[in-house]
mmCIF file of all heavy atoms in Angstrom:
data_model
loop_
_atom_site.group_PDB
_atom_site.id
_atom_site.type_symbol
_atom_site.label_atom_id
_atom_site.label_comp_id
_atom_site.label_asym_id
_atom_site.label_seq_id
_atom_site.Cartn_x
_atom_site.Cartn_y
_atom_site.Cartn_z
ATOM 1 N N MET F 787 -1.397 20.833 25.459
ATOM 2 C CA MET F 787 -1.361 20.265 24.121
ATOM 3 C C MET F 787 -2.735 19.667 23.828
ATOM 4 O O MET F 787 -3.258 18.891 24.602
ATOM 5 C CB MET F 787 -0.263 19.185 24.054
ATOM 6 C CG MET F 787 -0.118 18.553 22.693
ATOM 7 S SD MET F 787 1.156 17.270 22.565
ATOM 8 C CE MET F 787 2.635 18.220 22.711
ATOM 9 N N SER F 788 -3.307 20.024 22.692
ATOM 10 C CA SER F 788 -4.615 19.496 22.331
ATOM 11 C C SER F 788 -4.488 18.064 21.821
ATOM 12 O O SER F 788 -3.398 17.603 21.478
ATOM 13 C CB SER F 788 -5.256 20.370 21.258
ATOM 14 O OG SER F 788 -4.591 20.197 20.020
ATOM 15 N N VAL F 789 -5.603 17.376 21.759
ATOM 16 C CA VAL F 789 -5.602 15.992 21.268
ATOM 17 C C VAL F 789 -5.092 15.947 19.829
ATOM 18 O O VAL F 789 -4.302 15.078 19.467
ATOM 19 C CB VAL F 789 -7.023 15.378 21.363
ATOM 20 C CG1 VAL F 789 -7.070 14.021 20.691
ATOM 21 C CG2 VAL F 789 -7.454 15.275 22.812
ATOM 22 N N GLY F 790 -5.507 16.911 19.010
ATOM 23 C CA GLY F 790 -5.061 16.951 17.617
ATOM 24 C C GLY F 790 -3.555 17.120 17.501
ATOM 25 O O GLY F 790 -2.898 16.420 16.734
ATOM 26 N N SER F 791 -2.993 18.037 18.291
ATOM 27 C CA SER F 791 -1.549 18.253 18.209
ATOM 28 C C SER F 791 -0.780 17.070 18.803
ATOM 29 O O SER F 791 0.312 16.741 18.338
ATOM 30 C CB SER F 791 -1.141 19.555 18.883
ATOM 31 O OG SER F 791 -1.454 19.550 20.255
ATOM 32 N N PHE F 792 -1.365 16.401 19.801
ATOM 33 C CA PHE F 792 -0.728 15.195 20.336
ATOM 34 C C PHE F 792 -0.671 14.112 19.274
ATOM 35 O O PHE F 792 0.349 13.433 19.122
ATOM 36 C CB PHE F 792 -1.480 14.689 21.569
ATOM 37 C CG PHE F 792 -0.893 13.416 22.122
ATOM 38 C CD1 PHE F 792 0.277 13.443 22.862
ATOM 39 C CD2 PHE F 792 -1.494 12.199 21.866
ATOM 40 C CE1 PHE F 792 0.843 12.260 23.349
ATOM 41 C CE2 PHE F 792 -0.937 11.016 22.355
ATOM 42 C CZ PHE F 792 0.227 11.052 23.094
ATOM 43 N N LYS F 793 -1.757 13.944 18.507
ATOM 44 C CA LYS F 793 -1.784 12.931 17.442
ATOM 45 C C LYS F 793 -0.764 13.270 16.358
ATOM 46 O O LYS F 793 -0.105 12.385 15.827
ATOM 47 C CB LYS F 793 -3.182 12.813 16.825
ATOM 48 C CG LYS F 793 -4.188 12.113 17.694
ATOM 49 C CD LYS F 793 -3.879 10.645 17.821
ATOM 50 C CE LYS F 793 -4.966 9.960 18.624
ATOM 51 N NZ LYS F 793 -4.610 8.620 19.024
ATOM 52 N N VAL F 794 -0.634 14.543 16.033
ATOM 53 C CA VAL F 794 0.360 14.947 15.026
ATOM 54 C C VAL F 794 1.757 14.628 15.538
ATOM 55 O O VAL F 794 2.593 14.096 14.795
ATOM 56 C CB VAL F 794 0.217 16.447 14.668
ATOM 57 C CG1 VAL F 794 1.377 16.910 13.796
ATOM 58 C CG2 VAL F 794 -1.117 16.701 13.977
ATOM 59 N N HIS F 795 2.018 14.912 16.796
ATOM 60 C CA HIS F 795 3.322 14.610 17.388
ATOM 61 C C HIS F 795 3.586 13.100 17.366
ATOM 62 O O HIS F 795 4.674 12.647 16.993
ATOM 63 C CB HIS F 795 3.358 15.147 18.825
ATOM 64 C CG HIS F 795 4.663 14.989 19.507
ATOM 65 N ND1 HIS F 795 5.749 15.783 19.232
ATOM 66 C CD2 HIS F 795 5.066 14.110 20.450
ATOM 67 C CE1 HIS F 795 6.768 15.402 19.985
ATOM 68 N NE2 HIS F 795 6.380 14.389 20.729
ATOM 69 N N GLN F 796 2.582 12.327 17.751
ATOM 70 C CA GLN F 796 2.710 10.870 17.768
ATOM 71 C C GLN F 796 2.917 10.333 16.349
ATOM 72 O O GLN F 796 3.778 9.472 16.122
ATOM 73 C CB GLN F 796 1.454 10.261 18.395
ATOM 74 C CG GLN F 796 1.549 8.794 18.684
ATOM 75 C CD GLN F 796 0.307 8.279 19.414
ATOM 76 O OE1 GLN F 796 -0.705 8.968 19.512
ATOM 77 N NE2 GLN F 796 0.401 7.077 19.924
ATOM 78 N N ALA F 797 2.158 10.836 15.399
ATOM 79 C CA ALA F 797 2.295 10.390 14.010
ATOM 80 C C ALA F 797 3.662 10.765 13.451
ATOM 81 O O ALA F 797 4.264 9.988 12.693
ATOM 82 C CB ALA F 797 1.192 10.993 13.156
ATOM 83 N N THR F 798 4.171 11.929 13.832
ATOM 84 C CA THR F 798 5.506 12.336 13.387
ATOM 85 C C THR F 798 6.542 11.320 13.847
ATOM 86 O O THR F 798 7.413 10.910 13.082
ATOM 87 C CB THR F 798 5.843 13.744 13.909
ATOM 88 O OG1 THR F 798 4.880 14.671 13.405
ATOM 89 C CG2 THR F 798 7.227 14.183 13.475
ATOM 90 N N GLY F 799 6.432 10.893 15.086
ATOM 91 C CA GLY F 799 7.342 9.869 15.595
ATOM 92 C C GLY F 799 7.226 8.561 14.830
ATOM 93 O O GLY F 799 8.231 7.889 14.569
ATOM 94 N N MET F 800 6.015 8.196 14.462
ATOM 95 C CA MET F 800 5.824 6.958 13.705
ATOM 96 C C MET F 800 6.438 7.073 12.310
ATOM 97 O O MET F 800 7.049 6.124 11.814
ATOM 98 C CB MET F 800 4.342 6.612 13.623
ATOM 99 C CG MET F 800 3.775 6.187 14.971
ATOM 100 S SD MET F 800 2.032 5.773 14.929
ATOM 101 C CE MET F 800 2.091 4.216 14.030
ATOM 102 N N VAL F 801 6.307 8.238 11.682
ATOM 103 C CA VAL F 801 6.906 8.440 10.356
ATOM 104 C C VAL F 801 8.431 8.414 10.464
ATOM 105 O O VAL F 801 9.105 7.851 9.597
ATOM 106 C CB VAL F 801 6.401 9.741 9.696
ATOM 107 C CG1 VAL F 801 7.132 10.006 8.386
ATOM 108 C CG2 VAL F 801 4.895 9.667 9.456
ATOM 109 N N ILE F 802 8.980 8.976 11.521
ATOM 110 C CA ILE F 802 10.433 8.911 11.742
ATOM 111 C C ILE F 802 10.872 7.451 11.768
ATOM 112 O O ILE F 802 11.850 7.074 11.106
ATOM 113 C CB ILE F 802 10.820 9.607 13.065
ATOM 114 C CG1 ILE F 802 10.600 11.109 12.968
ATOM 115 C CG2 ILE F 802 12.263 9.293 13.450
ATOM 116 C CD1 ILE F 802 10.650 11.835 14.313
ATOM 117 N N ALA F 803 10.152 6.631 12.522
ATOM 118 C CA ALA F 803 10.506 5.210 12.639
ATOM 119 C C ALA F 803 10.284 4.461 11.324
ATOM 120 O O ALA F 803 11.092 3.619 10.937
ATOM 121 C CB ALA F 803 9.688 4.567 13.756
ATOM 122 N N GLN F 804 9.196 4.753 10.632
ATOM 123 C CA GLN F 804 8.868 4.040 9.400
ATOM 124 C C GLN F 804 9.799 4.406 8.248
ATOM 125 O O GLN F 804 10.232 3.534 7.494
ATOM 126 C CB GLN F 804 7.426 4.343 8.973
ATOM 127 C CG GLN F 804 6.374 3.780 9.897
ATOM 128 C CD GLN F 804 4.979 4.295 9.581
ATOM 129 O OE1 GLN F 804 4.781 5.134 8.704
ATOM 130 N NE2 GLN F 804 4.007 3.788 10.319
ATOM 131 N N ALA F 805 10.082 5.691 8.105
ATOM 132 C CA ALA F 805 10.815 6.169 6.934
ATOM 133 C C ALA F 805 12.275 6.479 7.213
ATOM 134 O O ALA F 805 13.045 6.716 6.274
ATOM 135 C CB ALA F 805 10.126 7.414 6.364
ATOM 136 N N GLY F 806 12.668 6.505 8.479
ATOM 137 C CA GLY F 806 14.059 6.787 8.819
ATOM 138 C C GLY F 806 14.485 8.197 8.463
ATOM 139 O O GLY F 806 15.588 8.408 7.968
ATOM 140 N N VAL F 807 13.600 9.158 8.705
ATOM 141 C CA VAL F 807 13.887 10.551 8.370
ATOM 142 C C VAL F 807 13.955 11.382 9.649
ATOM 143 O O VAL F 807 13.612 10.909 10.722
ATOM 144 C CB VAL F 807 12.818 11.118 7.404
ATOM 145 C CG1 VAL F 807 12.847 10.373 6.071
ATOM 146 C CG2 VAL F 807 11.426 11.053 8.012
ATOM 147 N N SER F 808 14.366 12.624 9.512
ATOM 148 C CA SER F 808 14.441 13.538 10.655
ATOM 149 C C SER F 808 13.033 13.943 11.085
ATOM 150 O O SER F 808 12.069 13.813 10.315
ATOM 151 C CB SER F 808 15.226 14.794 10.268
ATOM 152 O OG SER F 808 14.469 15.583 9.362
ATOM 153 N N PRO F 809 12.905 14.482 12.296
ATOM 154 C CA PRO F 809 11.594 14.969 12.731
ATOM 155 C C PRO F 809 10.999 16.031 11.793
ATOM 156 O O PRO F 809 9.810 15.994 11.492
ATOM 157 C CB PRO F 809 11.874 15.545 14.117
ATOM 158 C CG PRO F 809 13.043 14.752 14.610
ATOM 159 C CD PRO F 809 13.892 14.518 13.385
ATOM 160 N N ALA F 810 11.822 16.943 11.326
ATOM 161 C CA ALA F 810 11.328 17.988 10.423
ATOM 162 C C ALA F 810 10.829 17.383 9.117
ATOM 163 O O ALA F 810 9.774 17.770 8.596
ATOM 164 C CB ALA F 810 12.421 19.016 10.152
ATOM 165 N N GLU F 811 11.577 16.427 8.583
ATOM 166 C CA GLU F 811 11.176 15.760 7.341
ATOM 167 C C GLU F 811 9.899 14.957 7.552
ATOM 168 O O GLU F 811 9.019 14.939 6.686
ATOM 169 C CB GLU F 811 12.301 14.851 6.841
ATOM 170 C CG GLU F 811 11.943 14.028 5.614
ATOM 171 C CD GLU F 811 11.805 14.823 4.331
ATOM 172 O OE1 GLU F 811 12.295 15.965 4.259
ATOM 173 O OE2 GLU F 811 11.192 14.303 3.378
ATOM 174 N N ALA F 812 9.767 14.299 8.680
ATOM 175 C CA ALA F 812 8.572 13.503 8.963
ATOM 176 C C ALA F 812 7.337 14.406 9.014
ATOM 177 O O ALA F 812 6.306 14.074 8.411
ATOM 178 C CB ALA F 812 8.741 12.756 10.282
ATOM 179 N N LEU F 813 7.437 15.532 9.694
ATOM 180 C CA LEU F 813 6.308 16.455 9.766
ATOM 181 C C LEU F 813 5.985 17.023 8.389
ATOM 182 O O LEU F 813 4.815 17.152 8.015
ATOM 183 C CB LEU F 813 6.599 17.582 10.760
ATOM 184 C CG LEU F 813 5.479 18.601 10.952
ATOM 185 C CD1 LEU F 813 4.182 17.932 11.406
ATOM 186 C CD2 LEU F 813 5.913 19.670 11.949
ATOM 187 N N GLN F 814 7.015 17.330 7.626
ATOM 188 C CA GLN F 814 6.806 17.844 6.278
ATOM 189 C C GLN F 814 6.085 16.810 5.411
ATOM 190 O O GLN F 814 5.173 17.148 4.663
ATOM 191 C CB GLN F 814 8.141 18.223 5.648
ATOM 192 C CG GLN F 814 8.011 18.902 4.302
ATOM 193 C CD GLN F 814 9.353 19.355 3.777
ATOM 194 O OE1 GLN F 814 10.324 18.603 3.803
ATOM 195 N NE2 GLN F 814 9.422 20.579 3.298
ATOM 196 N N ARG F 815 6.444 15.551 5.536
ATOM 197 C CA ARG F 815 5.768 14.496 4.765
ATOM 198 C C ARG F 815 4.303 14.389 5.158
ATOM 199 O O ARG F 815 3.441 14.209 4.290
ATOM 200 C CB ARG F 815 6.472 13.155 4.956
ATOM 201 C CG ARG F 815 7.810 13.093 4.248
ATOM 202 C CD ARG F 815 8.437 11.735 4.378
ATOM 203 N NE ARG F 815 9.767 11.736 3.792
ATOM 204 C CZ ARG F 815 10.409 10.651 3.403
ATOM 205 N NH1 ARG F 815 9.860 9.463 3.558
ATOM 206 N NH2 ARG F 815 11.616 10.738 2.881
ATOM 207 N N LEU F 816 4.025 14.485 6.447
ATOM 208 C CA LEU F 816 2.633 14.455 6.892
ATOM 209 C C LEU F 816 1.850 15.638 6.308
ATOM 210 O O LEU F 816 0.727 15.464 5.824
ATOM 211 C CB LEU F 816 2.560 14.494 8.420
ATOM 212 C CG LEU F 816 2.952 13.226 9.159
ATOM 213 C CD1 LEU F 816 3.115 13.514 10.651
ATOM 214 C CD2 LEU F 816 1.917 12.136 8.935
ATOM 215 N N CYS F 817 2.448 16.817 6.352
ATOM 216 C CA CYS F 817 1.783 18.013 5.818
ATOM 217 C C CYS F 817 1.555 17.914 4.318
ATOM 218 O O CYS F 817 0.467 18.231 3.817
ATOM 219 C CB CYS F 817 2.600 19.264 6.139
ATOM 220 S SG CYS F 817 2.625 19.691 7.883
ATOM 221 N N PHE F 818 2.562 17.453 3.589
ATOM 222 C CA PHE F 818 2.428 17.303 2.139
ATOM 223 C C PHE F 818 1.343 16.285 1.801
ATOM 224 O O PHE F 818 0.544 16.486 0.890
ATOM 225 C CB PHE F 818 3.749 16.873 1.499
ATOM 226 C CG PHE F 818 4.761 17.982 1.364
ATOM 227 C CD1 PHE F 818 6.098 17.672 1.196
ATOM 228 C CD2 PHE F 818 4.417 19.321 1.409
ATOM 229 C CE1 PHE F 818 7.059 18.679 1.065
ATOM 230 C CE2 PHE F 818 5.364 20.328 1.284
ATOM 231 C CZ PHE F 818 6.680 19.999 1.103
ATOM 232 N N TYR F 819 1.318 15.187 2.538
ATOM 233 C CA TYR F 819 0.316 14.156 2.289
ATOM 234 C C TYR F 819 -1.084 14.707 2.562
ATOM 235 O O TYR F 819 -2.001 14.516 1.753
ATOM 236 C CB TYR F 819 0.581 12.922 3.150
ATOM 237 C CG TYR F 819 -0.393 11.802 2.869
ATOM 238 C CD1 TYR F 819 -0.133 10.877 1.860
ATOM 239 C CD2 TYR F 819 -1.573 11.671 3.589
ATOM 240 C CE1 TYR F 819 -1.032 9.860 1.578
ATOM 241 C CE2 TYR F 819 -2.477 10.661 3.316
ATOM 242 C CZ TYR F 819 -2.200 9.754 2.308
ATOM 243 O OH TYR F 819 -3.093 8.759 2.031
ATOM 244 N N ALA F 820 -1.249 15.390 3.671
ATOM 245 C CA ALA F 820 -2.548 15.964 4.012
ATOM 246 C C ALA F 820 -3.011 16.936 2.923
ATOM 247 O O ALA F 820 -4.175 16.909 2.506
ATOM 248 C CB ALA F 820 -2.483 16.668 5.368
ATOM 249 N N ASP F 821 -2.093 17.763 2.447
ATOM 250 C CA ASP F 821 -2.423 18.715 1.393
ATOM 251 C C ASP F 821 -2.786 17.989 0.100
ATOM 252 O O ASP F 821 -3.750 18.357 -0.578
ATOM 253 C CB ASP F 821 -1.246 19.667 1.168
ATOM 254 C CG ASP F 821 -1.582 20.795 0.215
ATOM 255 O OD1 ASP F 821 -2.603 21.481 0.438
ATOM 256 O OD2 ASP F 821 -0.838 20.985 -0.763
ATOM 257 N N ALA F 822 -2.041 16.947 -0.233
ATOM 258 C CA ALA F 822 -2.274 16.213 -1.481
ATOM 259 C C ALA F 822 -3.633 15.530 -1.508
ATOM 260 O O ALA F 822 -4.271 15.445 -2.568
ATOM 261 C CB ALA F 822 -1.171 15.179 -1.702
ATOM 262 N N VAL F 823 -4.080 15.043 -0.367
ATOM 263 C CA VAL F 823 -5.372 14.349 -0.329
ATOM 264 C C VAL F 823 -6.508 15.259 0.125
ATOM 265 O O VAL F 823 -7.660 14.838 0.180
ATOM 266 C CB VAL F 823 -5.322 13.072 0.554
ATOM 267 C CG1 VAL F 823 -4.296 12.088 0.017
ATOM 268 C CG2 VAL F 823 -5.056 13.392 2.008
ATOM 269 N N GLY F 824 -6.180 16.506 0.458
ATOM 270 C CA GLY F 824 -7.195 17.465 0.864
ATOM 271 C C GLY F 824 -7.828 17.160 2.209
ATOM 272 O O GLY F 824 -9.014 17.396 2.416
ATOM 273 N N ALA F 825 -7.020 16.653 3.116
ATOM 274 C CA ALA F 825 -7.516 16.293 4.444
ATOM 275 C C ALA F 825 -6.810 17.133 5.506
ATOM 276 O O ALA F 825 -5.659 17.530 5.319
ATOM 277 C CB ALA F 825 -7.262 14.809 4.713
ATOM 278 N N PRO F 826 -7.474 17.384 6.610
ATOM 279 C CA PRO F 826 -6.810 18.095 7.709
ATOM 280 C C PRO F 826 -5.636 17.265 8.250
ATOM 281 O O PRO F 826 -5.706 16.025 8.280
ATOM 282 C CB PRO F 826 -7.902 18.222 8.782
ATOM 283 C CG PRO F 826 -9.195 18.054 8.046
ATOM 284 C CD PRO F 826 -8.889 17.122 6.907
ATOM 285 N N LEU F 827 -4.587 17.942 8.658
ATOM 286 C CA LEU F 827 -3.403 17.273 9.184
ATOM 287 C C LEU F 827 -3.763 16.347 10.343
ATOM 288 O O LEU F 827 -3.231 15.236 10.441
ATOM 289 C CB LEU F 827 -2.364 18.304 9.613
ATOM 290 C CG LEU F 827 -1.073 17.775 10.214
ATOM 291 C CD1 LEU F 827 -0.342 16.845 9.236
ATOM 292 C CD2 LEU F 827 -0.179 18.927 10.629
ATOM 293 N N GLU F 828 -4.660 16.783 11.206
ATOM 294 C CA GLU F 828 -5.041 15.965 12.357
ATOM 295 C C GLU F 828 -5.687 14.648 11.924
ATOM 296 O O GLU F 828 -5.480 13.620 12.550
ATOM 297 C CB GLU F 828 -5.986 16.745 13.281
ATOM 298 C CG GLU F 828 -5.324 17.904 13.989
ATOM 299 C CD GLU F 828 -5.199 19.157 13.113
ATOM 300 O OE1 GLU F 828 -5.747 19.206 11.976
ATOM 301 O OE2 GLU F 828 -4.519 20.096 13.554
ATOM 302 N N ASP F 829 -6.468 14.669 10.830
ATOM 303 C CA ASP F 829 -7.090 13.439 10.321
ATOM 304 C C ASP F 829 -6.034 12.478 9.779
ATOM 305 O O ASP F 829 -6.099 11.272 10.010
ATOM 306 C CB ASP F 829 -8.114 13.756 9.239
ATOM 307 C CG ASP F 829 -9.363 14.434 9.780
ATOM 308 O OD1 ASP F 829 -9.499 14.563 11.022
ATOM 309 O OD2 ASP F 829 -10.201 14.846 8.956
ATOM 310 N N VAL F 830 -5.069 13.021 9.044
ATOM 311 C CA VAL F 830 -3.989 12.184 8.519
ATOM 312 C C VAL F 830 -3.188 11.597 9.674
ATOM 313 O O VAL F 830 -2.857 10.407 9.673
ATOM 314 C CB VAL F 830 -3.086 12.992 7.559
ATOM 315 C CG1 VAL F 830 -1.828 12.212 7.193
ATOM 316 C CG2 VAL F 830 -3.864 13.370 6.306
ATOM 317 N N ALA F 831 -2.896 12.416 10.665
ATOM 318 C CA ALA F 831 -2.148 11.942 11.835
ATOM 319 C C ALA F 831 -2.889 10.798 12.516
ATOM 320 O O ALA F 831 -2.284 9.786 12.886
ATOM 321 C CB ALA F 831 -1.915 13.079 12.815
ATOM 322 N N ARG F 832 -4.184 10.942 12.669
ATOM 323 C CA ARG F 832 -4.985 9.891 13.307
ATOM 324 C C ARG F 832 -4.902 8.593 12.495
ATOM 325 O O ARG F 832 -4.773 7.508 13.046
ATOM 326 C CB ARG F 832 -6.441 10.343 13.433
ATOM 327 C CG ARG F 832 -7.298 9.413 14.251
ATOM 328 C CD ARG F 832 -8.712 9.942 14.485
ATOM 329 N NE ARG F 832 -8.718 11.292 15.056
ATOM 330 C CZ ARG F 832 -9.053 12.410 14.392
ATOM 331 N NH1 ARG F 832 -9.427 12.342 13.136
ATOM 332 N NH2 ARG F 832 -9.024 13.572 14.984
ATOM 333 N N GLN F 833 -4.925 8.707 11.178
ATOM 334 C CA GLN F 833 -4.836 7.527 10.317
ATOM 335 C C GLN F 833 -3.468 6.858 10.422
ATOM 336 O O GLN F 833 -3.364 5.633 10.394
ATOM 337 C CB GLN F 833 -5.148 7.886 8.872
ATOM 338 C CG GLN F 833 -6.595 8.257 8.654
ATOM 339 C CD GLN F 833 -6.882 8.704 7.242
ATOM 340 O OE1 GLN F 833 -5.997 8.726 6.388
ATOM 341 N NE2 GLN F 833 -8.118 9.071 6.962
ATOM 342 N N VAL F 834 -2.418 7.658 10.552
ATOM 343 C CA VAL F 834 -1.074 7.097 10.726
ATOM 344 C C VAL F 834 -0.993 6.356 12.057
ATOM 345 O O VAL F 834 -0.511 5.219 12.125
ATOM 346 C CB VAL F 834 0.011 8.203 10.641
ATOM 347 C CG1 VAL F 834 1.381 7.654 11.035
ATOM 348 C CG2 VAL F 834 0.067 8.787 9.236
ATOM 349 N N VAL F 835 -1.483 6.973 13.112
ATOM 350 C CA VAL F 835 -1.458 6.354 14.436
ATOM 351 C C VAL F 835 -2.291 5.068 14.445
ATOM 352 O O VAL F 835 -1.909 4.071 15.073
ATOM 353 C CB VAL F 835 -1.940 7.352 15.515
ATOM 354 C CG1 VAL F 835 -2.135 6.658 16.854
ATOM 355 C CG2 VAL F 835 -0.951 8.498 15.647
ATOM 356 N N ASP F 836 -3.392 5.067 13.712
ATOM 357 C CA ASP F 836 -4.250 3.881 13.624
ATOM 358 C C ASP F 836 -3.711 2.850 12.625
ATOM 359 O O ASP F 836 -4.340 1.820 12.399
ATOM 360 C CB ASP F 836 -5.676 4.282 13.216
ATOM 361 C CG ASP F 836 -6.399 5.054 14.293
ATOM 362 O OD1 ASP F 836 -5.947 5.027 15.463
ATOM 363 O OD2 ASP F 836 -7.422 5.693 13.970
ATOM 364 N N ARG F 837 -2.581 3.156 12.010
ATOM 365 C CA ARG F 837 -1.914 2.298 11.039
ATOM 366 C C ARG F 837 -2.712 2.071 9.754
ATOM 367 O O ARG F 837 -2.566 1.053 9.090
ATOM 368 C CB ARG F 837 -1.509 0.968 11.681
ATOM 369 C CG ARG F 837 -0.439 1.131 12.735
ATOM 370 C CD ARG F 837 -0.023 -0.192 13.364
ATOM 371 N NE ARG F 837 1.186 -0.060 14.153
ATOM 372 C CZ ARG F 837 1.235 0.414 15.388
ATOM 373 N NH1 ARG F 837 0.148 0.873 15.947
ATOM 374 N NH2 ARG F 837 2.361 0.464 16.046
ATOM 375 N N ALA F 838 -3.549 3.037 9.415
ATOM 376 C CA ALA F 838 -4.284 2.986 8.157
ATOM 377 C C ALA F 838 -3.442 3.551 7.016
ATOM 378 O O ALA F 838 -3.679 3.251 5.858
ATOM 379 C CB ALA F 838 -5.598 3.755 8.272
ATOM 380 N N ILE F 839 -2.465 4.392 7.371
ATOM 381 C CA ILE F 839 -1.511 4.976 6.417
ATOM 382 C C ILE F 839 -0.121 4.665 6.932
ATOM 383 O O ILE F 839 0.148 4.791 8.121
ATOM 384 C CB ILE F 839 -1.665 6.509 6.306
ATOM 385 C CG1 ILE F 839 -3.055 6.895 5.815
ATOM 386 C CG2 ILE F 839 -0.592 7.104 5.391
ATOM 387 C CD1 ILE F 839 -3.317 8.396 5.868
ATOM 388 N N SER F 840 0.759 4.268 6.008
ATOM 389 C CA SER F 840 2.155 4.004 6.394
ATOM 390 C C SER F 840 3.083 4.790 5.484
ATOM 391 O O SER F 840 2.822 4.938 4.281
ATOM 392 C CB SER F 840 2.461 2.510 6.260
ATOM 393 O OG SER F 840 3.835 2.274 6.515
ATOM 394 N N PHE F 841 4.151 5.275 6.043
ATOM 395 C CA PHE F 841 5.171 5.985 5.279
ATOM 396 C C PHE F 841 6.436 5.140 5.147
ATOM 397 O O PHE F 841 7.495 5.640 4.796
ATOM 398 C CB PHE F 841 5.499 7.326 5.946
ATOM 399 C CG PHE F 841 4.421 8.364 5.731
ATOM 400 C CD1 PHE F 841 3.270 8.370 6.514
ATOM 401 C CD2 PHE F 841 4.541 9.320 4.738
ATOM 402 C CE1 PHE F 841 2.270 9.311 6.326
ATOM 403 C CE2 PHE F 841 3.550 10.277 4.539
ATOM 404 C CZ PHE F 841 2.409 10.260 5.330
ATOM 405 N N ALA F 842 6.317 3.846 5.408
ATOM 406 C CA ALA F 842 7.446 2.929 5.274
ATOM 407 C C ALA F 842 7.788 2.751 3.799
ATOM 408 O O ALA F 842 6.901 2.695 2.949
ATOM 409 C CB ALA F 842 7.119 1.576 5.912
ATOM 410 N N SER F 843 9.057 2.654 3.519
ATOM 411 C CA SER F 843 9.514 2.390 2.159
ATOM 412 C C SER F 843 9.160 0.968 1.764
ATOM 413 O O SER F 843 9.261 0.050 2.566
ATOM 414 C CB SER F 843 11.016 2.597 2.049
ATOM 415 O OG SER F 843 11.364 3.914 2.351
ATOM 416 N N VAL F 844 8.754 0.813 0.536
ATOM 417 C CA VAL F 844 8.452 -0.517 0.018
ATOM 418 C C VAL F 844 9.642 -0.986 -0.789
ATOM 419 O O VAL F 844 10.144 -0.286 -1.653
ATOM 420 C CB VAL F 844 7.183 -0.489 -0.862
ATOM 421 C CG1 VAL F 844 6.907 -1.848 -1.458
ATOM 422 C CG2 VAL F 844 5.998 0.019 -0.068
ATOM 423 N N GLY F 845 10.078 -2.218 -0.503
ATOM 424 C CA GLY F 845 11.192 -2.794 -1.256
ATOM 425 C C GLY F 845 12.438 -2.438 -0.656
ATOM 426 O O GLY F 845 13.496 -2.339 -0.777
#
């Protein structure tokens, strides 16, 4: 497993915990977010792991 794919896996787990969604939904949210901001998935994953981006519901 490469470092990039490990970060994506780790970030997926964090999104599951933050948003209370399934693993497939968490990965899909990461992919959609990366596409929306025009960033590579690995960069978004790194930001989630570093807690610069959160997928937690507000309110």
Side-chain angles (χ1 to χ4, degrees):
M787 181 180 290
S788 71
V789 172
S791 62
F792 178 76
K793 286 291 184 192
V794 171
H795 184 76
Q796 190 175 12
T798 300
M800 291 180 71
V801 174
I802 292 167
Q804 292 170 356
V807 296
S808 70
E811 175 71 18
L813 181 58
Q814 186 175 47
R815 288 184 185 200
L816 287 168
C817 291
F818 283 160
Y819 183 88
D821 187 52
V823 300
L827 179 59
E828 292 81 7
D829 290 354
V830 170
R832 188 174 307 107
Q833 291 176 1
V834 171
V835 171
D836 291 344
R837 293 181 168 80
I839 299 172
S840 175
F841 285 81
S843 299
V844 177

